[in-house]
Amino acid sequence: MLTPNFKIDREFRGHVEDVRSIASQSGSSSYFATASRDKTIRIWNLDHDETSLLEQKVFNGHDSFVTCVHWVPEGFLDFKEEILLSGSRDRRVLVWSIPRGLVLKELNGHAMDITAVIVLKNGDIVTASQDSHICVWRKFKLLKTLSGHISSVLSLAALTDSEFLSGG
């Protein structure tokens, strides 16, 4: 078995602080989003050559640094456009219209920093926080707050339509 020859292909510059999360467009390798301590989310296009402007959009709306981002395909969560979910140290999850760059919804339910956000196949949104809780949202309303971690919940992974893993 040959070892792949990994190398840096290109750099994407635009954030003024470190990047905390990356999410790619489902079904395409052309677009991705980055979240940063500079309180912004940026959309990038991989299809441009190195001399073109790669940054497509900048989203501002969080009051503290953005810790996680999740790309949601068009037609999912009852939206006829692609959306992003972003979590922040400001304890909010924002639901963004990617084409319009606007906040569509705001989810509030955690007492500390949001650390992870995912969408399950059944449409439920799951958020994790440093407050040691997990919130499950259905149609943008808080459905249930789960406890059981003794410290921060730092990561989430979707499994089935309604199941997920969490790690702290």
Side-chain angles (χ1 to χ4, degrees):
M1 181 177 193
L2 295 173
T3 303
N5 185 16
F6 293 109
K7 64 180 180 141
I8 295 174
D9 183 62
R10 65 188 97 158
E11 290 183 36
F12 298 84
R13 296 184 182 268
H15 288 293
V16 295
E17 297 282 345
D18 55 291
V19 171
R20 292 303 181 123
S21 182
I22 300 172
S24 62
Q25 180 187 35
S26 179
S28 169
S29 60
S30 297
Y31 293 93
F32 66 97
T34 54
S36 172
R37 280 194 345 167
D38 66 10
K39 304 177 189 174
T40 68
I41 299 155
R42 295 172 188 265
I43 304 292
W44 306 86
N45 185 345
L46 285 170
D47 285 342
H48 288 278
D49 64 39
E50 292 180 36
T51 61
S52 297
L53 180 64
L54 298 169
E55 182 181 275
Q56 300 296 302
K57 295 184 179 191
V58 179
F59 299 165
N60 292 286
H62 282 289
D63 298 327
S64 188
F65 68 79
V66 187
T67 55
C68 54
V69 64
H70 184 84
W71 197 298
V72 181
E74 182 178 342
F76 210 66
L77 298 181
D78 297 328
F79 286 102
K80 294 181 180 178
E81 59 191 334
E82 289 182 302
I83 62 171
L84 281 176
L85 302 174
S86 63
S88 171
R89 287 189 67 186
D90 64 13
R91 302 181 309 268
R92 299 180 301 146
V93 173
L94 298 181
V95 179
W96 299 87
S97 160
I98 293 175
R100 295 180 285 153
L102 301 173
V103 175
L104 303 173
K105 304 267 184 190
E106 181 176 320
L107 308 179
N108 292 285
H110 286 287
M112 294 180 73
D113 307 11
I114 307 295
T115 54
V117 59
I118 61 172
V119 178
L120 302 177
K121 289 179 184 175
N122 71 358
D124 288 350
I125 299 169
V126 182
T127 58
S129 172
Q130 287 184 348
D131 64 12
S132 78
H133 294 100
I134 296 168
C135 290
V136 180
W137 309 82
R138 184 165 291 155
K139 297 195 181 289
F140 307 104
K141 305 280 188 221
L142 182 60
L143 179 67
K144 186 161 187 131
T145 301
L146 306 172
S147 58
H149 284 271
I150 58 172
S151 188
S152 300
V153 184
L154 300 175
S155 59
L156 297 168
L159 292 176
T160 65
D161 283 359
S162 60
E163 295 179 314
F164 60 91
L165 297 172
S166 62

